[in-house]
């Protein structure tokens, strides 16, 4: 019997957190796992936090991830990684973009942004991988492909083989953005 694994994806509204969660869930299902996914939008349409929880294994009963239960955190924005840190289990892994998006309290001067977030994370967690996904996507022509860059990095990091990930990306993204997203997946996979 395989153990259940938990992946927590965190970002800000509009970054495509839910899209890569759907692609990842489809790929894990193709690998023969039972997969459950849950999403929390919050104030995502106004740039607020978006969280997606994925559990997979031989048999999964619920997707919810509690404090200290996530095997992996995938983050689109480094301050969101700090916010999600209590959910990571001891020995877990973080893959985070070094991208910064300033929330309203920072923009209004009511709060400060944690520019040292990567240093704080690295001091707290031995397995932190920083990926410049937004920068890679921007160099490909559209920062919105950041999510697919992160998906490529995740697939490689987790050694998720036996699935045609490029076919899944092509199936889930809009046809007009297929080539960009395929390039983004490969960029993330090769980082």
């Amino acid at each position: 019997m395989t153990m259940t694994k938990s992946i927590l994806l965190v970002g800000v509204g509009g970054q495509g957190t839910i899209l890569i969660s759907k692609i990842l869930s489809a790929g894990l299902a193709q690998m023969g796992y039972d997969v459950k996914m849950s999403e929390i939008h919050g104030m995502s349409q106004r740039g607020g936090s978006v969280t997606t929880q994925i559990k997979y294994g031989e048999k999964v009963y619920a997707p919810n991830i509690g404090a200290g239960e996530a095997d992996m955190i995938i983050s689109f924005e480094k301050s969101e990684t700090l916010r999600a840190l209590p959910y990571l289990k001891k020995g877990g892994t973080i893959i985070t973009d070094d991208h910064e998006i300033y929330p309203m309290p920072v923009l209004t001067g009511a709060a400060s942004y944690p520019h040292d977030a990567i240093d704080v994370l690295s001091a707290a967690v031995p397995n932190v991988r920083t990926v410049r996904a937004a920068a890679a996507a921007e160099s490909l022509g559209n920062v919105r492909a950041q999510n697919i860059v992160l998906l490529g990095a995740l697939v490689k990091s987790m050694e998720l083989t036996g699935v045609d990930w490029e076919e899944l990306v092509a199936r889930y993204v809009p046809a007009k953005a297929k080539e960009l997203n395929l390039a983004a997946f490969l960029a993330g996979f090769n980082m």
Side-chain angles (χ1 to χ4, degrees), residues 153-172:
L154 168 65
V155 165
K156 183 165 187 182
S157 178
M158 292 181 66
E159 300 177 356
L160 299 175
T161 59
V163 173
D164 186 346
W165 290 100
E166 292 176 56
E167 186 277 325
L168 281 174
V169 168
R171 184 186 324 160
Y172 279 86

PDB file of all heavy atoms in Angstrom, residues 153-172:
ATOM      1  N   ALA A 153       9.030  22.536 -13.408  1.00  0.00           N
ATOM      2  CA  ALA A 153       9.998  22.357 -12.323  1.00  0.00           C
ATOM      3  C   ALA A 153       9.511  21.320 -11.310  1.00  0.00           C
ATOM      4  O   ALA A 153      10.284  20.481 -10.832  1.00  0.00           O
ATOM      5  CB  ALA A 153      10.257  23.697 -11.633  1.00  0.00           C
ATOM      6  N   LEU A 154       8.216  21.335 -11.011  1.00  0.00           N
ATOM      7  CA  LEU A 154       7.623  20.384 -10.080  1.00  0.00           C
ATOM      8  C   LEU A 154       7.691  18.962 -10.620  1.00  0.00           C
ATOM      9  O   LEU A 154       8.093  18.032  -9.920  1.00  0.00           O
ATOM     10  CB  LEU A 154       6.171  20.778  -9.810  1.00  0.00           C
ATOM     11  CG  LEU A 154       5.291  19.758  -9.092  1.00  0.00           C
ATOM     12  CD1 LEU A 154       5.793  19.523  -7.682  1.00  0.00           C
ATOM     13  CD2 LEU A 154       3.851  20.241  -9.060  1.00  0.00           C
ATOM     14  N   VAL A 155       7.303  18.776 -11.881  1.00  0.00           N
ATOM     15  CA  VAL A 155       7.306  17.447 -12.491  1.00  0.00           C
ATOM     16  C   VAL A 155       8.714  16.853 -12.450  1.00  0.00           C
ATOM     17  O   VAL A 155       8.902  15.684 -12.109  1.00  0.00           O
ATOM     18  CB  VAL A 155       6.751  17.514 -13.936  1.00  0.00           C
ATOM     19  CG1 VAL A 155       7.076  16.264 -14.723  1.00  0.00           C
ATOM     20  CG2 VAL A 155       5.247  17.757 -13.904  1.00  0.00           C
ATOM     21  N   LYS A 156       9.709  17.668 -12.773  1.00  0.00           N
ATOM     22  CA  LYS A 156      11.094  17.170 -12.745  1.00  0.00           C
ATOM     23  C   LYS A 156      11.539  16.874 -11.318  1.00  0.00           C
ATOM     24  O   LYS A 156      12.131  15.830 -11.054  1.00  0.00           O
ATOM     25  CB  LYS A 156      12.040  18.158 -13.389  1.00  0.00           C
ATOM     26  CG  LYS A 156      13.463  17.618 -13.429  1.00  0.00           C
ATOM     27  CD  LYS A 156      14.330  18.364 -14.341  1.00  0.00           C
ATOM     28  CE  LYS A 156      15.688  17.683 -14.476  1.00  0.00           C
ATOM     29  NZ  LYS A 156      16.556  18.445 -15.348  1.00  0.00           N
ATOM     30  N   SER A 157      11.240  17.776 -10.400  1.00  0.00           N
ATOM     31  CA  SER A 157      11.657  17.607  -9.009  1.00  0.00           C
ATOM     32  C   SER A 157      11.062  16.348  -8.394  1.00  0.00           C
ATOM     33  O   SER A 157      11.737  15.635  -7.647  1.00  0.00           O
ATOM     34  CB  SER A 157      11.246  18.835  -8.196  1.00  0.00           C
ATOM     35  OG  SER A 157      11.590  18.678  -6.853  1.00  0.00           O
ATOM     36  N   MET A 158       9.813  16.052  -8.720  1.00  0.00           N
ATOM     37  CA  MET A 158       9.134  14.886  -8.164  1.00  0.00           C
ATOM     38  C   MET A 158       9.374  13.624  -8.985  1.00  0.00           C
ATOM     39  O   MET A 158       8.899  12.556  -8.605  1.00  0.00           O
ATOM     40  CB  MET A 158       7.634  15.163  -8.052  1.00  0.00           C
ATOM     41  CG  MET A 158       7.286  16.209  -7.024  1.00  0.00           C
ATOM     42  SD  MET A 158       5.514  16.493  -6.904  1.00  0.00           S
ATOM     43  CE  MET A 158       4.950  14.920  -6.258  1.00  0.00           C
ATOM     44  N   GLU A 159      10.091  13.763 -10.102  1.00  0.00           N
ATOM     45  CA  GLU A 159      10.369  12.632 -10.989  1.00  0.00           C
ATOM     46  C   GLU A 159       9.089  11.917 -11.391  1.00  0.00           C
ATOM     47  O   GLU A 159       8.983  10.688 -11.308  1.00  0.00           O
ATOM     48  CB  GLU A 159      11.372  11.679 -10.337  1.00  0.00           C
ATOM     49  CG  GLU A 159      12.701  12.332 -10.026  1.00  0.00           C
ATOM     50  CD  GLU A 159      13.689  11.419  -9.321  1.00  0.00           C
ATOM     51  OE1 GLU A 159      13.337  10.264  -8.979  1.00  0.00           O
ATOM     52  OE2 GLU A 159      14.826  11.859  -9.126  1.00  0.00           O
ATOM     53  N   LEU A 160       8.104  12.691 -11.844  1.00  0.00           N
ATOM     54  CA  LEU A 160       6.810  12.149 -12.256  1.00  0.00           C
ATOM     55  C   LEU A 160       6.903  11.702 -13.716  1.00  0.00           C
ATOM     56  O   LEU A 160       6.677  12.471 -14.640  1.00  0.00           O
ATOM     57  CB  LEU A 160       5.711  13.191 -12.072  1.00  0.00           C
ATOM     58  CG  LEU A 160       5.493  13.668 -10.639  1.00  0.00           C
ATOM     59  CD1 LEU A 160       4.474  14.793 -10.585  1.00  0.00           C
ATOM     60  CD2 LEU A 160       5.061  12.506  -9.750  1.00  0.00           C
ATOM     61  N   THR A 161       7.252  10.451 -13.905  1.00  0.00           N
ATOM     62  CA  THR A 161       7.454   9.914 -15.248  1.00  0.00           C
ATOM     63  C   THR A 161       6.269   9.045 -15.673  1.00  0.00           C
ATOM     64  O   THR A 161       5.400   8.737 -14.871  1.00  0.00           O
ATOM     65  CB  THR A 161       8.744   9.080 -15.295  1.00  0.00           C
ATOM     66  OG1 THR A 161       8.629   8.014 -14.343  1.00  0.00           O
ATOM     67  CG2 THR A 161       9.964   9.923 -14.957  1.00  0.00           C
ATOM     68  N   GLY A 162       6.279   8.679 -16.924  1.00  0.00           N
ATOM     69  CA  GLY A 162       5.232   7.803 -17.441  1.00  0.00           C
ATOM     70  C   GLY A 162       3.986   8.547 -17.874  1.00  0.00           C
ATOM     71  O   GLY A 162       2.952   7.925 -18.135  1.00  0.00           O
ATOM     72  N   VAL A 163       4.062   9.859 -17.946  1.00  0.00           N
ATOM     73  CA  VAL A 163       2.929  10.685 -18.363  1.00  0.00           C
ATOM     74  C   VAL A 163       3.414  11.627 -19.455  1.00  0.00           C
ATOM     75  O   VAL A 163       4.517  12.167 -19.369  1.00  0.00           O
ATOM     76  CB  VAL A 163       2.381  11.517 -17.168  1.00  0.00           C
ATOM     77  CG1 VAL A 163       1.325  12.514 -17.623  1.00  0.00           C
ATOM     78  CG2 VAL A 163       1.822  10.613 -16.096  1.00  0.00           C
ATOM     79  N   ASP A 164       2.600  11.837 -20.463  1.00  0.00           N
ATOM     80  CA  ASP A 164       2.933  12.818 -21.496  1.00  0.00           C
ATOM     81  C   ASP A 164       2.466  14.182 -21.000  1.00  0.00           C
ATOM     82  O   ASP A 164       1.358  14.636 -21.295  1.00  0.00           O
ATOM     83  CB  ASP A 164       2.262  12.451 -22.826  1.00  0.00           C
ATOM     84  CG  ASP A 164       2.693  13.357 -23.970  1.00  0.00           C
ATOM     85  OD1 ASP A 164       3.284  14.421 -23.707  1.00  0.00           O
ATOM     86  OD2 ASP A 164       2.417  12.997 -25.128  1.00  0.00           O
ATOM     87  N   TRP A 165       3.315  14.826 -20.201  1.00  0.00           N
ATOM     88  CA  TRP A 165       2.964  16.105 -19.582  1.00  0.00           C
ATOM     89  C   TRP A 165       2.718  17.184 -20.631  1.00  0.00           C
ATOM     90  O   TRP A 165       1.857  18.041 -20.452  1.00  0.00           O
ATOM     91  CB  TRP A 165       4.046  16.534 -18.591  1.00  0.00           C
ATOM     92  CG  TRP A 165       4.050  15.653 -17.391  1.00  0.00           C
ATOM     93  CD1 TRP A 165       4.893  14.615 -17.140  1.00  0.00           C
ATOM     94  CD2 TRP A 165       3.121  15.691 -16.302  1.00  0.00           C
ATOM     95  NE1 TRP A 165       4.557  14.013 -15.947  1.00  0.00           N
ATOM     96  CE2 TRP A 165       3.474  14.654 -15.410  1.00  0.00           C
ATOM     97  CE3 TRP A 165       2.033  16.499 -15.988  1.00  0.00           C
ATOM     98  CZ2 TRP A 165       2.787  14.405 -14.228  1.00  0.00           C
ATOM     99  CZ3 TRP A 165       1.343  16.263 -14.815  1.00  0.00           C
ATOM    100  CH2 TRP A 165       1.710  15.229 -13.953  1.00  0.00           C
ATOM    101  N   GLU A 166       3.474  17.141 -21.717  1.00  0.00           N
ATOM    102  CA  GLU A 166       3.279  18.145 -22.762  1.00  0.00           C
ATOM    103  C   GLU A 166       1.896  18.010 -23.394  1.00  0.00           C
ATOM    104  O   GLU A 166       1.240  19.005 -23.686  1.00  0.00           O
ATOM    105  CB  GLU A 166       4.388  18.046 -23.809  1.00  0.00           C
ATOM    106  CG  GLU A 166       5.741  18.471 -23.230  1.00  0.00           C
ATOM    107  CD  GLU A 166       6.877  18.304 -24.210  1.00  0.00           C
ATOM    108  OE1 GLU A 166       6.786  18.873 -25.316  1.00  0.00           O
ATOM    109  OE2 GLU A 166       7.849  17.604 -23.862  1.00  0.00           O
ATOM    110  N   GLU A 167       1.419  16.777 -23.549  1.00  0.00           N
ATOM    111  CA  GLU A 167       0.073  16.570 -24.084  1.00  0.00           C
ATOM    112  C   GLU A 167      -0.971  17.119 -23.114  1.00  0.00           C
ATOM    113  O   GLU A 167      -1.948  17.738 -23.522  1.00  0.00           O
ATOM    114  CB  GLU A 167      -0.165  15.071 -24.354  1.00  0.00           C
ATOM    115  CG  GLU A 167      -1.487  14.767 -25.043  1.00  0.00           C
ATOM    116  CD  GLU A 167      -2.681  14.674 -24.086  1.00  0.00           C
ATOM    117  OE1 GLU A 167      -2.507  14.199 -22.946  1.00  0.00           O
ATOM    118  OE2 GLU A 167      -3.787  15.092 -24.487  1.00  0.00           O
ATOM    119  N   LEU A 168      -0.751  16.908 -21.822  1.00  0.00           N
ATOM    120  CA  LEU A 168      -1.690  17.434 -20.821  1.00  0.00           C
ATOM    121  C   LEU A 168      -1.699  18.957 -20.809  1.00  0.00           C
ATOM    122  O   LEU A 168      -2.768  19.570 -20.729  1.00  0.00           O
ATOM    123  CB  LEU A 168      -1.341  16.911 -19.428  1.00  0.00           C
ATOM    124  CG  LEU A 168      -1.790  15.497 -19.109  1.00  0.00           C
ATOM    125  CD1 LEU A 168      -1.256  15.059 -17.748  1.00  0.00           C
ATOM    126  CD2 LEU A 168      -3.302  15.390 -19.138  1.00  0.00           C
ATOM    127  N   VAL A 169      -0.522  19.561 -20.894  1.00  0.00           N
ATOM    128  CA  VAL A 169      -0.460  21.024 -20.946  1.00  0.00           C
ATOM    129  C   VAL A 169      -1.233  21.522 -22.156  1.00  0.00           C
ATOM    130  O   VAL A 169      -2.076  22.422 -22.057  1.00  0.00           O
ATOM    131  CB  VAL A 169       1.008  21.520 -20.977  1.00  0.00           C
ATOM    132  CG1 VAL A 169       1.071  23.005 -21.315  1.00  0.00           C
ATOM    133  CG2 VAL A 169       1.690  21.243 -19.640  1.00  0.00           C
ATOM    134  N   ALA A 170      -0.983  20.916 -23.311  1.00  0.00           N
ATOM    135  CA  ALA A 170      -1.659  21.327 -24.551  1.00  0.00           C
ATOM    136  C   ALA A 170      -3.175  21.159 -24.436  1.00  0.00           C
ATOM    137  O   ALA A 170      -3.938  21.962 -24.980  1.00  0.00           O
ATOM    138  CB  ALA A 170      -1.119  20.527 -25.732  1.00  0.00           C
ATOM    139  N   ARG A 171      -3.614  20.136 -23.715  1.00  0.00           N
ATOM    140  CA  ARG A 171      -5.054  19.880 -23.568  1.00  0.00           C
ATOM    141  C   ARG A 171      -5.736  20.918 -22.678  1.00  0.00           C
ATOM    142  O   ARG A 171      -6.879  21.303 -22.908  1.00  0.00           O
ATOM    143  CB  ARG A 171      -5.275  18.492 -22.977  1.00  0.00           C
ATOM    144  CG  ARG A 171      -6.755  18.136 -22.894  1.00  0.00           C
ATOM    145  CD  ARG A 171      -7.059  16.838 -22.186  1.00  0.00           C
ATOM    146  NE  ARG A 171      -6.103  15.772 -22.387  1.00  0.00           N
ATOM    147  CZ  ARG A 171      -5.998  14.726 -21.565  1.00  0.00           C
ATOM    148  NH1 ARG A 171      -6.781  14.637 -20.492  1.00  0.00           N
ATOM    149  NH2 ARG A 171      -5.119  13.781 -21.795  1.00  0.00           N
ATOM    150  N   TYR A 172      -5.042  21.396 -21.656  1.00  0.00           N
ATOM    151  CA  TYR A 172      -5.668  22.278 -20.672  1.00  0.00           C
ATOM    152  C   TYR A 172      -5.520  23.766 -20.943  1.00  0.00           C
ATOM    153  O   TYR A 172      -6.295  24.551 -20.419  1.00  0.00           O
ATOM    154  CB  TYR A 172      -5.135  21.955 -19.265  1.00  0.00           C
ATOM    155  CG  TYR A 172      -5.814  20.767 -18.638  1.00  0.00           C
ATOM    156  CD1 TYR A 172      -5.350  19.478 -18.881  1.00  0.00           C
ATOM    157  CD2 TYR A 172      -6.913  20.920 -17.817  1.00  0.00           C
ATOM    158  CE1 TYR A 172      -5.970  18.376 -18.308  1.00  0.00           C
ATOM    159  CE2 TYR A 172      -7.545  19.829 -17.242  1.00  0.00           C
ATOM    160  CZ  TYR A 172      -7.066  18.554 -17.493  1.00  0.00           C
ATOM    161  OH  TYR A 172      -7.679  17.473 -16.931  1.00  0.00           O
TER     162      TYR A 172
END
